[in-house]
Amino acid sequence: MSDENRRQVLYWRMLARVFETDEQHALETASVAIVEDIGLPAALLDPGVSVDNLVQRHPELAGAFDGLMTPAGEAPQEAPQELPQGEEVRRAALVSKLLINVFATGSGNVSAGQLANWQADAGWFERALGMCPGDLRGKPNAGGLAGVLGGLEGDLVKRMHLREVLANPALAKQLTPSMSLIEQLLRDKSNLSGVALANAKALIRRFVDEVAEVLRTQVQQSSAGVIDRSVPPKRVYRNLDLERTIWKNLTNWSPDDERLYVDRLFYRQTAKRTTPARLIVVVDQSGSMVDSMVNCTILASIFAGLPKVDVHLIAYDTRALDLTPWVHDPFEVLLRTRLGGGNDGPVAMAMARPKIADPSNTVMVWISDFYEFDRSQPLLEGIQAVHRSGVKFIPIGSVNSGGQQSVNPWFRQRFKDMGTPVISGHIRKLITELKNFLA
């Protein structure tokens, strides 16, 4: 059998595994013969064997998946050993393993161990694409492949008897925190108690800490804004701009004395904002904004830890909830949220406006899809009034790692007319915008 035919057999088997419920005996038998002939283990064809287990049994395959599916122009990592048969056949067998384990999720109940294995396999799939594990998952609002993975993970979580798993400490330890899992925990937290509630809180805390570490790094790496040119520079030696001083006094050069006579000194401006800035974050906590709620509560807590920044946090659906007392602890904030339901922006605006004491020194970040229906006009009028008062208003469609956003076109156009267009939903963009204002 030619290498091309061998590849076709492996890929036909993969498609059958992903899209058919019944096993194709002829394809299975032929695939086993091909894999064994090229020196790969038969366990590669077993969907019940995770990639982690496969690598543990066969350490020589540890680096085989890294960069395996990188786009054209990016050479995949070389195999750890030379094989006598065509490399493309070997590659097809490895790719098939990843795609079957990630996309053939079956049906019926899912255990905590099965979810953990799927998450680990998805991490190997992301590595094969040249990414870090987790780069594509946990983004319910994301599109493309990220959205597909997020949907698969969410479906697995829903098929798992989560309450029973949480009540068993041994099973709960097998859970790997993800955005889909955190969403389910937040939605079901009122039905949990005792050991199950304690395990749920531990998972939420772990996820919050992991995301916070990433966001804190992004805050530290982002631009810190511009120097305040309205403040005259301090005339001290450490601020002396020697290069500019020499350049500006070159006309005072004396050829006879061979001296430069300086009649004016120039200093660097170093003053930055000293007045405490107020940051008001308003987050839509309806069902479509789960990842935004998680990311923004964590981000608000990070900015609340910065000196001279006064952060207020409001979450809303059909009611508004002032979460400012807990803004320093995103874990406590998330435990107090109530995900789902409709949304009533004017109610949130009525709570937010009294918090504006110094408009020119205030930024209001509003995260929502802005689908307000019969409350659209009242909310817009409130936003316009806040904007006219001098508050820097930043509308965000969503805040996730993928940068995807869905915004009511009616609001999008009116924000554009106001000169405050909806910025990209990518969280790094929001971090930069906030640091430019607060620095």
Side-chain angles (χ1 to χ4, degrees), residues 75-212:
Q77 184 170 325
E78 292 183 1
Q81 60 183 19
E82 291 290 336
L83 294 175
Q85 299 296 327
E87 186 64 23
E88 284 301 309
V89 180
R90 181 178 183 278
R91 182 175 182 273
L94 296 171
V95 169
S96 296
K97 174 63 176 175
L98 288 174
L99 295 180
I100 290 172
N101 278 33
V102 173
F103 293 98
T105 55
S107 59
N109 296 334
V110 174
S111 68
Q114 288 173 319
L115 175 63
N117 284 340
W118 182 90
Q119 290 172 327
D121 286 338
W124 283 100
F125 176 67
E126 289 161 326
R127 287 173 60 173
L129 293 172
M131 304 178 182
C132 294
D135 279 359
L136 285 175
R137 287 169 290 150
K139 308 177 182 67
N141 289 340
L145 187 55
V148 172
L149 287 179
L152 288 172
E153 186 173 43
D155 177 66
L156 289 170
V157 171
K158 290 178 182 178
R159 287 158 50 193
M160 185 173 59
H161 293 296
L162 191 55
R163 296 179 193 175
E164 288 81 356
V165 171
L166 291 170
N168 186 322
L171 293 177
K173 287 182 180 179
Q174 298 181 43
L175 292 174
T176 301
S178 66
M179 189 65 76
S180 297
L181 179 59
I182 297 307
E183 176 182 353
Q184 290 297 110
L185 294 175
L186 293 176
R187 290 186 187 280
D188 202 37
K189 64 181 183 295
S190 60
N191 298 314
L192 302 176
S193 61
V195 174
L197 181 59
N199 286 329
K201 288 183 176 180
L203 285 165
I204 295 172
R205 171 75 76 180
R206 181 177 160 193
F207 184 78
V208 165
D209 290 344
E210 290 175 356
V211 175

Side-chain angles (χ1 to χ4, degrees), residues 8-287:
Q8 288 182 359
V9 168
L10 291 171
Y11 284 136
W12 275 114
R13 172 187 176 272
M14 176 198 70
L15 293 173
R17 281 281 186 174
V18 173
F19 295 107
E20 298 289 340
T21 56
D22 297 328
E23 183 178 298
Q24 302 296 317
H25 181 71
L27 289 175
E28 294 294 329
T29 302
S31 296
V32 170
I34 292 170
V35 166
E36 291 180 344
D37 190 45
I38 62 176
L40 289 174
L44 191 73
L45 298 176
D46 186 351
V49 176
S50 69
V51 179
D52 276 345
N53 287 338
L54 180 68
V55 169
Q56 288 173 2
R57 298 180 194 177
H58 305 276
E60 71 276 7
L61 295 177
F65 294 98
D66 290 335
L68 182 67
M69 302 169 65
T70 49
E74 297 180 32
Q77 184 170 325
E78 292 183 1
Q81 60 183 19
E82 291 290 336
L83 294 175
Q85 299 296 327
E87 186 64 23
E88 284 301 309
V89 180
R90 181 178 183 278
R91 182 175 182 273
L94 296 171
V95 169
S96 296
K97 174 63 176 175
L98 288 174
L99 295 180
I100 290 172
N101 278 33
V102 173
F103 293 98
T105 55
S107 59
N109 296 334
V110 174
S111 68
Q114 288 173 319
L115 175 63
N117 284 340
W118 182 90
Q119 290 172 327
D121 286 338
W124 283 100
F125 176 67
E126 289 161 326
R127 287 173 60 173
L129 293 172
M131 304 178 182
C132 294
D135 279 359
L136 285 175
R137 287 169 290 150
K139 308 177 182 67
N141 289 340
L145 187 55
V148 172
L149 287 179
L152 288 172
E153 186 173 43
D155 177 66
L156 289 170
V157 171
K158 290 178 182 178
R159 287 158 50 193
M160 185 173 59
H161 293 296
L162 191 55
R163 296 179 193 175
E164 288 81 356
V165 171
L166 291 170
N168 186 322
L171 293 177
K173 287 182 180 179
Q174 298 181 43
L175 292 174
T176 301
S178 66
M179 189 65 76
S180 297
L181 179 59
I182 297 307
E183 176 182 353
Q184 290 297 110
L185 294 175
L186 293 176
R187 290 186 187 280
D188 202 37
K189 64 181 183 295
S190 60
N191 298 314
L192 302 176
S193 61
V195 174
L197 181 59
N199 286 329
K201 288 183 176 180
L203 285 165
I204 295 172
R205 171 75 76 180
R206 181 177 160 193
F207 184 78
V208 165
D209 290 344
E210 290 175 356
V211 175
E213 185 61 31
V214 174
L215 295 185
R216 192 174 292 111
T217 300
Q218 293 180 0
V219 169
Q220 293 169 350
Q221 293 176 345
S222 296
S223 170
V226 297
I227 292 172
D228 189 349
R229 301 290 178 183
S230 65
V231 179
K234 288 186 177 181
R235 297 177 177 273
V236 295
Y237 179 76
R238 67 174 178 273
N239 288 344
L240 180 64
D241 190 338
L242 188 59
E243 184 176 338
R244 189 178 178 212
T245 296
I246 294 174
W247 177 259
K248 290 290 187 179
N249 287 279
L250 281 179
T251 55
N252 298 329
W253 170 257
S254 172
D256 296 333
D257 298 339
E258 293 186 349
R259 289 176 180 270
L260 177 66
Y261 292 93
V262 177
D263 57 15
R264 184 180 178 186
L265 297 174
F266 291 85
Y267 297 87
R268 298 184 184 89
Q269 288 177 293
T270 58
K272 295 187 178 181
R273 182 188 297 274
T274 57
T275 307
R278 177 160 293 187
L279 170 62
I280 303 173
V281 181
V282 184
V283 188
D284 177 352
Q285 64 172 350
S286 61

